[in-house]
Amino acid sequence: MIKKAVEVSVYGADQLCPSCVNLPSSKDTYEWLEAAISRKFPNQPFTFSYVDIFNPPNDKSKRRFAKKIIDEDLFYPLVLVEDKIVGEGNPRLKTIYHELEKYGYKAE
């Protein structure tokens, strides 16, 4: 049983990650993930957010994490389920689905 909507966050930028040439943009990845997760787990609550690492929102934790991505040269888009990194650069749906199932999500 799902107790609360899990937050899926995608951190990225308009420019592609230097190591991620030929991959979809961060925003394209965000839209693709939102659609894929919503299809896999229909009628189950989620919160999806996109964070531009060079212009993060006024949320302290999101700003801190965006700075970490830049400072540590992490690959983006970077995907978090709650506060756990589940994808970096070219995220895998199977890994993200597996993490969501730990929170009680069931495929339909």
Side-chain angles (χ1 to χ4, degrees), residues 6-31:
V6 167
E7 182 174 13
V8 178
S9 303
V10 177
Y11 286 76
D14 287 339
Q15 69 189 44
L16 290 179
C17 166
S19 300
C20 302
V21 176
N22 299 325
L23 293 177
S25 72
S26 297
K27 283 194 177 176
D28 287 343
T29 298
Y30 166 76
E31 291 169 359

Side-chain angles (χ1 to χ4, degrees), residues 19-76:
S19 300
C20 302
V21 176
N22 299 325
L23 293 177
S25 72
S26 297
K27 283 194 177 176
D28 287 343
T29 298
Y30 166 76
E31 291 169 359
W32 168 72
L33 281 175
E34 184 176 22
I37 291 169
S38 296
R39 275 194 308 273
K40 178 84 170 178
F41 304 105
N43 305 313
Q44 297 171 65
F46 289 97
T47 302
F48 291 96
S49 63
Y50 176 78
V51 178
D52 183 323
I53 61 174
F54 297 110
N55 189 22
N58 225 3
D59 176 296
K60 195 176 196 176
S61 66
K62 286 184 173 28
R63 289 181 86 76
R64 186 174 35 241
F65 200 80
K67 184 177 180 342
K68 176 181 177 166
I69 292 170
I70 295 167
D71 290 348
E72 296 181 14
D73 288 327
L74 299 175
F75 294 125
Y76 55 86

